[in-house]
Amino acid sequence: MILFKSKKGIQILLDVVGITTSFLLAVFTRYIILVGKMGSNLNIRLYLIFLAGALVLCLIIAFFWPFTPLEKLSSREIVLKTIEQQILFIACYIILFYFFPQTFVISRVVVGLFFFLNILFCSLFRLLYRTYCVKRVRGAEKKSQIRTKHRSPTHIYIIGAKSIGLYGGYETFVMNLLQQHGDNPNLVYHIANKANGQGSMELNKMPGAMRVNDEEFTYFNAHCFMIHVPEWAGPAQAIFYDLRAMKWACKNIEKNHFDHAVVYILASRIGPFERRFANRIRKAGGRVFQNPDGHENWRRKWSAPIRAYWKLSEKYSVKFADVV
């Protein structure tokens, strides 16, 4: 992430300095170099009005002109943009002087030098500021790359899919996730899998899976852990499965002191129980991501008590998550 960019206020300040410098040099050239030989009177009040008008016009143009960060522009684009603004500057002055009394006439030499020097100094100051901004951006990018290079990987715990090889929406999602990010050194996945019951993990059907012990295996560089569920619980097995997987994830995060861990929960089966787990995860420096899927409480296949539980669980799952 780039932490620095040019600011409109500083660019306006540089334009004000450029205008003032151009005005002083134009007056100096006309009344010091030329007047010494030709002779003339200097109407200070009239030229101060001229300078004040120039500064006001500068602020008006800067306010309405679309702002683009200088580090995104090339040198040529900066000069052209400055010339465009000066053309608008000159047009405004022609209109203003048309309505002014004839006594408000100032030296054409001063006006011509002023606009020429204005383009020169404003372009120069903007180019110098752009150079400074580009260096700051590159420095921020370099520091960000160094931090990313030396930063410990993010540990992501995925709770809710029954098993990686099983046919299903969540299971297909996890499979694709591991295939696409399996070689990413900045991400380490920890995947919960059912050890028994319907939809349990079958390692012999997963080519490439390597068993670590009876409870853990690796697949596509992901660390996978097995969760046992009480089969007598029937449809409530899913709740026991998610609760035990969350408990395992919290213990693993705390034991290994993983900073910035993410626990990603698929479906909203344990909403009423998520608060204590979410607090443990946040206390360890992690966050809870929640995928609520659809509105399970709308599905007619569930009985009225189960639909009431689904509605309550979806409410609290979203409430206790950091990202939905």
Side-chain angles (χ1 to χ4, degrees), residues 152-155 253 256-262 284-286:
S152 58
T154 301
H155 291 263
I253 293 171
N256 295 285
H257 305 286
F258 290 145
D259 293 330
H260 312 298
V262 172

Side-chain angles (χ1 to χ4, degrees), residues 12-282:
I12 293 173
L13 178 62
L14 292 175
D15 288 345
V16 169
V17 173
I19 289 171
T20 306
T21 305
S22 302
F23 169 79
L24 293 175
L25 283 176
V27 172
F28 175 83
T29 302
R30 175 65 181 86
Y31 284 93
I32 301 299
I33 297 177
L34 297 180
V35 172
K37 298 178 180 180
M38 299 171 59
S40 180
N41 295 320
L42 176 62
N43 189 336
I44 297 293
R45 182 182 176 185
L46 182 59
Y47 280 92
L48 287 178
I49 293 174
F50 177 86
L51 176 60
L55 293 175
V56 170
L57 273 176
C58 169
L59 295 176
I60 293 173
I61 292 173
F63 181 78
F64 290 103
W65 198 275
F67 175 72
T68 304
L70 291 178
E71 65 272 15
K72 295 184 178 180
L73 298 174
S74 65
S75 301
R76 179 175 176 272
E77 289 172 331
I78 289 176
V79 174
L80 290 176
K81 182 179 178 182
T82 305
I83 294 173
E84 288 176 3
Q85 291 178 338
Q86 292 305 313
I87 291 174
L88 184 59
F89 220 164
I90 295 170
C92 291
Y93 257 95
I94 292 173
I95 294 172
L96 287 175
F97 275 109
Y98 180 78
F99 292 103
F100 280 173
Q102 290 185 355
T103 54
F104 279 71
V105 175
I106 62 176
S107 170
R108 287 173 292 179
V109 174
V110 172
V111 174
L113 278 173
F114 172 75
F115 286 120
F116 171 76
L117 293 173
N118 222 4
I119 294 174
L120 180 65
F121 282 109
C122 287
S123 299
L124 178 62
F125 291 156
R126 289 181 180 184
L127 289 171
L128 290 174
Y129 184 45
R130 174 187 176 275
T131 303
Y132 168 77
C133 293
V134 169
K135 287 183 177 179
R136 288 289 300 272
V137 168
R138 288 175 180 171
E141 286 178 341
K142 189 175 181 180
K143 289 180 181 179
S144 178
Q145 290 171 358
I146 292 173
R147 285 196 298 266
T148 302
K149 183 178 180 181
H150 296 286
R151 184 182 60 191
S152 58
T154 301
H155 291 263
I156 302 173
Y157 295 78
I158 298 184
I159 311 296
K162 293 179 180 178
S163 63
I164 297 173
L166 187 68
Y167 175 78
Y170 287 141
E171 292 72 24
T172 304
F173 161 70
V174 172
M175 174 71 81
N176 280 276
L177 196 67
L178 298 185
Q179 289 175 347
Q180 293 181 30
H181 295 177
D183 297 326
N184 190 336
N186 297 319
L187 300 176
V188 177
Y189 286 98
H190 305 265
I191 314 296
N193 294 268
K194 284 185 72 175
N196 63 303
Q198 183 181 6
S200 60
M201 186 70 201
E202 298 182 27
L203 282 181
N204 58 344
K205 295 183 179 179
M206 288 291 294
M210 298 182 62
R211 185 181 292 276
V212 177
N213 52 47
D214 292 339
E215 305 296 331
E216 299 171 85
F217 66 95
T218 59
Y219 184 70
F220 273 105
N221 296 329
H223 169 230
C224 306
F225 54 96
M226 309 288 279
I227 300 296
H228 292 269
V229 296
E231 297 186 42
W232 53 262
Q237 286 184 38
I239 297 176
F240 283 97
Y241 171 56
D242 285 0
L243 287 174
R244 292 182 175 180
M246 286 288 286
K247 185 178 180 180
W248 190 98
C250 289
K251 284 185 176 180
N252 192 260
I253 293 171
E254 293 165 348
K255 176 183 175 182
N256 295 285
H257 305 286
F258 290 145
D259 293 330
H260 312 298
V262 172
V263 178
Y264 186 23
I265 306 171
L266 305 174
S268 303
R269 292 183 283 259
I270 57 170
F273 314 100
E274 273 188 37
R275 183 174 185 173
R276 63 189 182 97
F277 294 115
N279 288 339
R280 287 178 66 181
I281 293 164
R282 293 190 191 101

Side-chain angles (χ1 to χ4, degrees), residues 283-302:
K283 187 176 179 180
R287 292 189 297 167
V288 178
F289 286 22
Q290 178 72 49
N291 181 349
D293 195 21
H295 290 285
E296 285 290 331
N297 63 297
W298 289 3
R299 301 183 70 178
R300 296 183 179 274
K301 74 172 186 176
W302 304 117

